[in-house]
């Protein structure tokens, strides 16, 4: 692009972007856009852009680049994401031995850290088929405290030295990944070792990475079992000081009263939502199921239930009456049944209209039955989902099938059925569980490993842009139309197409005369678009490389 890097993001100026492709429902053939005082002022054709050229402060030549709304990642753990960027990341380790080698190298490189922090091991893909033992980790770290989360962040392996920092941890110390209360206790000890400077470094790294990927907004899913109020409020303060990305905060604590709702609001949270755990995860055998795991620790193991329907009801009632969003983490079918039963009881007490208007949400919502989907539609529950989970663990030979068997695994993440029922979808990553990767997320939804669950690229893109804004109660954003916030990204994207993965997915005509705006070709194996610029509220928050006169 030929504009100067900073001036296009000065939202006191009027800027005309032209000679590109602007993805907008206001004009499917748009090549130009005017941004004024942080909002989209006009979208239209190249000929009409001539009339604006003399009246703006700056003209940006897009040189054929694509302009889209900025993405919203609807489920992020920002500090933990930053720590994987600045610290030990075992994502992609192919063997147990390789993981231990990475631990040794990290320990040697960080001699001053009181506690070593890492993430991302997944023994389900290792030939050894087991996590590292405590003795192996003690050796690899030289006896130092280490906290190392599994890929799903619902269990962790630790060293003896870290256990010694948690004197209240009762019971035996089995040489197995920690889950439940034991995991929460060691996580609190590990994260409590971070200095304010380390935390700020990690948070800034995560926000910078998001901006570099065309992400304009993040939904931070925090809570007392995940982080701390200091971590949460520090992130919101840091985001407020920066020009972007925007951060919307959720605090996952069950409430029953107006006073508790006030305390949630005083933290700066939009809702008592996010990872309010009804259950755990499939990878850690803690998602709560109606029928036992296929590979559980014993033949009758069905996971862990953290909340019952009565608690869900009390929480939804208190949040609805206080004007807060309620929300829950629910993955297994039994956990989702608990949520539906609890929300139904709240609607019986308060009225269906009040519950629908509150736009409560459910995170992950993986093991949905048709009855769950109908209830989500009835109560206007937003399904905040992560298509990269299916890309990583779906299919007949991967972790989902190991845990559930092939037939049950094929029912997971039914995005097409959700959309057909009218359930609001918001896409995210659950980073660091899966990386920040918006176009990869759209690709994963469109090319779901179970063909019947696939949705069009256009539908997935909408769920990852406008869907995230709607999930926080904003219907006027996430789309490039006059009056909307000027949150957009500019992409090197190649040819634009109207793409569906197969004939079972509803499509619009690929004829340009149909007026359906195109999007990048996301066929698996091909390159994803490159972000050239990210703008939030009219301010440039990222400028990439790769264009002339940058």
């Amino acid at each position: 692009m030929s504009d100067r890097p900073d001036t296009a993001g000065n939202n006191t100026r009027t800027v005309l972007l032209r000679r590109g492709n602007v993805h907008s429902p206001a004009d499917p053939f748009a090549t130009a856009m005017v941004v004024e005082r942080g909002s989209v002022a006009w979208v239209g054709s190249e000929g009409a852009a001539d009339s604006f050229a003399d009246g703006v402060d700056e003209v940006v030549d897009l040189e054929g680049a694509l302009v889209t709304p900025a993405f919203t990642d609807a489920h992020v753990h920002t500090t933990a994401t930053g720590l994987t960027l600045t610290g030990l990341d075992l994502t992609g380790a192919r063997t147990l031995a390789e993981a231990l080698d990475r631990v040794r190298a990290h320990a040697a490189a960080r001699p001053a850290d009181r506690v070593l922090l890492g993430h991302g091991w997944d023994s389900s893909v290792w030939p050894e088929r087991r996590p590292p033992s405590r003795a192996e980790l003690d050796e690899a770290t030289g006896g130092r405290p280490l906290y190392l989360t599994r890929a799903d962040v619902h269990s962790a392996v630790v060293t003896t030295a870290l256990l010694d920092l948690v004197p209240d941890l009762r019971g035996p110390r089995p040489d197995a990944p920690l889950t439940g209360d034991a995991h929460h206790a060691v996580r609190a000890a590990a994260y409590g070792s971070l200095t304010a400077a380390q935390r700020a470094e990690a948070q800034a790294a995560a926000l910078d990475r998001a901006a570099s990927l065309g992400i304009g907004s993040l939904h931070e899913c925090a809570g007392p079992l995940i982080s701390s109020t200091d971590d949460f409020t520090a992130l919101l303060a840091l985001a407020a000081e920066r020009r972007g990305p925007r951060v919307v905060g959720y605090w996952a604590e069950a409430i029953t009263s107006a006073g508790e709702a006030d305390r949630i609001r005083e933290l700066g949270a939009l809702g008592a939502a996010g990872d309010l755990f009804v259950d755990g995860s499939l990878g850690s055998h803690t998602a709560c199921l109606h029928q036992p795991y296929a590979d559980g620790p014993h033949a009758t193991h069905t996971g862990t239930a953290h909340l019952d329907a009565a608690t869900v009801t009390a929480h939804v009632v208190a949040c609805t009456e206080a004007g807060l969003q309620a929300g829950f983490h629910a993955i297994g079918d039994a956990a989702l049944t608990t949520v539906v039963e609890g929300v139904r009881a709240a609607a019986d007490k308060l009225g269906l209209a009040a519950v629908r208007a509150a736009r409560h949400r459910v995170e992950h919502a993986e093991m949905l039955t048709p009855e769950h989907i109908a209830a989500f539609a009835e109560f206007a529950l937003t399904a905040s989902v992560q298509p990269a989970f299916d890309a990583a663990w779906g299919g007949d030979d991967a972790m989902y099938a190991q845990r559930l068997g092939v037939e049950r695994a094929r029912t997971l993440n039914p995005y097409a059925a959700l959309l057909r029922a009218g359930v609001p979808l918001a896409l995210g990553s659950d980073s660091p569980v899966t990386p920040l990767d918006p176009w990869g997320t759209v690709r994963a939804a469109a090319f779901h490993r179970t063909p019947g669950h696939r949705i069009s690229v256009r539908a997935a893109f909408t769920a990852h842009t406008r869907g995230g804004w709607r999930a926080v109660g904003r219907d006027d954003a996430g789309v490039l139309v006059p009056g909307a916030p000027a949150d957009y990204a500019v992409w090197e994207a190649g040819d634009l197409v109207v793409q569906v993965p197969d004939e079972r997915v509803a499509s619009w005509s690929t004829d340009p005369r149909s007026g359906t705006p195109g999007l990048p070709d996301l066929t698996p194996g091909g390159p994803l678009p490159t972000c050239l610029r990210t703008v939030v509220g009219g301010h440039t928050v990222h400028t990439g490389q790769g264009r002339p006169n940058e």
Side-chain angles (χ1 to χ4, degrees):
M1 270 175 292
S2 58
D3 63 309
R4 297 182 298 278
D6 293 327
T7 54
N10 182 345
N11 74 351
T12 65
R13 297 165 62 85
T14 302
V15 180
L16 169 63
L17 299 91
R18 65 182 309 181
R19 300 189 183 94
N21 292 284
V22 179
H23 187 85
S24 171
D27 184 344
F29 307 108
T31 63
M33 181 171 74
V34 173
V35 173
E36 184 174 26
R37 298 191 177 278
S39 297
V40 176
W42 172 85
V43 175
S45 66
E46 201 56 45
D50 290 335
S51 64
F52 290 97
D54 293 335
V56 300
D57 297 306
E58 185 163 6
V59 177
V60 176
D61 187 348
L62 294 167
E63 301 177 26
L66 171 66
V67 181
T68 71
F71 286 101
T72 292
D73 192 311
H75 192 121
V76 177
H77 304 287
T78 308
T79 302
T81 296
L83 290 171
T84 65
L85 297 172
T86 60
L88 173 58
D89 184 4
L90 297 186
T91 303
R94 292 164 294 181
T95 67
L96 171 59
E98 180 182 340
L100 290 169
D101 285 343
R102 292 193 195 183
V103 172
R104 290 187 189 93
H106 182 73
R110 307 284 294 213
D113 288 4
R114 179 167 177 255
V115 174
L116 300 168
L117 301 168
H119 167 74
W121 61 271
D122 184 357
S123 58
S124 73
V125 300
W126 293 345
E128 299 89 347
R129 293 287 176 166
R130 68 170 180 87
S133 70
R134 187 161 303 133
E136 288 169 330
L137 294 175
D138 287 346
E139 181 278 325
T141 60
R144 295 168 64 190
L146 167 71
Y147 171 71
L148 195 57
T149 49
R150 191 186 181 281
D152 58 13
V153 198
H154 283 269
S155 59
V157 290
V158 301
T159 55
T160 302
L162 181 61
L163 289 176
D164 291 341
L165 296 178
V166 192
D168 295 334
L169 192 61
R170 296 182 175 88
R173 295 179 170 186
D175 191 14
L178 300 175
T179 61
D181 291 341
H183 178 212
H184 299 153
V186 296
R187 174 161 50 195
Y191 277 33
S193 72
L194 289 174
T195 66
Q198 286 176 306
R199 183 173 60 208
E201 176 192 19
Q203 291 172 346
L207 295 177
D208 288 343
R209 173 61 65 87
S212 75
L213 296 169
I215 298 171
S217 298
L218 304 173
H219 297 180
E220 165 67 11
C221 293
L225 299 180
I226 300 167
S227 53
S228 67
T229 56
D230 287 345
D231 181 270
F232 183 64
T233 56
L235 172 62
L236 296 183
L238 176 65
E241 293 168 1
R242 297 166 52 110
R243 290 184 166 184
R246 305 173 193 263
V247 175
V248 176
Y250 288 100
W251 185 253
E253 186 172 351
I255 67 171
T256 59
S257 68
E260 290 173 317
D262 289 341
R263 179 170 50 79
I264 299 292
R265 190 177 280 111
E266 287 165 5
L267 289 175
L270 184 67
D275 278 331
L276 180 51
F277 296 119
V278 180
D279 67 346
S281 73
L282 291 165
S284 292
H285 291 100
T286 52
C288 193
L289 314 181
H290 283 305
Q291 300 298 323
Y293 282 85
D295 66 343
H298 54 78
T300 60
H301 182 71
T302 57
T304 305
H306 295 297
L307 300 179
D308 59 19
T311 305
V312 170
T313 299
H315 183 68
V316 172
V317 168
C319 288
T320 304
E321 291 180 333
L324 284 176
Q325 278 185 293
F328 304 93
H329 162 119
I331 287 179
D333 52 359
L336 288 159
T337 295
T338 296
V339 170
V340 166
E341 289 177 351
V343 175
R344 186 175 301 282
D348 289 342
K349 180 175 181 178
L350 300 177
L352 179 60
V355 168
R356 288 177 60 87
R359 302 196 190 195
H360 303 311
R361 51 191 284 173
V362 180
E363 309 302 314
H364 315 309
E366 292 200 75
M367 205 171 175
L368 292 157
T369 66
E371 292 75 21
H372 294 144
I373 293 171
F376 271 48
E378 179 183 0
F379 303 127
L381 297 175
T382 294
S384 171
V385 298
Q386 296 75 41
F389 288 7
D390 175 73
W393 303 310
D396 290 355
D397 300 313
M399 186 269 288
Y400 287 157
Q402 294 169 22
R403 296 291 185 269
L404 302 173
V406 170
E407 290 307 313
R408 277 196 296 174
R410 288 175 179 169
T411 69
L412 294 182
N413 303 303
Y415 304 140
L418 286 164
L419 286 183
R420 282 195 300 268
V423 175
L425 279 188
L427 302 193
S429 63
D430 198 8
S431 180
V433 175
T434 58
L436 300 170
D437 180 15
W439 284 115
T441 295
V442 173
R443 171 186 279 171
F447 293 91
H448 197 295
R449 292 185 183 275
T450 302
H453 297 334
R454 293 172 179 172
I455 59 177
S456 70
V457 168
R458 174 180 171 139
F461 177 79
T462 299
H464 212 352
T465 50
R466 197 169 194 178
W469 282 93
R470 286 174 166 167
V472 299
R474 290 281 302 272
D475 294 330
D476 61 336
V479 61
L480 300 180
V481 296
D487 288 22
Y488 62 90
V490 182
W491 306 92
E492 182 92 53
D495 293 336
L496 304 182
V497 297
V498 177
Q499 184 175 34
V500 295
D502 61 45
E503 69 277 1
R504 288 168 290 199
V505 178
S507 176
W508 291 264
S509 171
T510 56
D511 188 325
R513 291 171 297 180
S514 70
T516 302
L519 284 165
D521 184 348
L522 301 184
T523 301
L528 293 172
T530 300
C531 185
L532 303 175
R533 171 159 300 169
T534 307
V535 175
V536 176
H539 293 292
T540 295
V541 299
H542 167 75
T543 302
Q545 302 297 320
R547 279 301 179 113
N549 304 313
E550 184 72 8

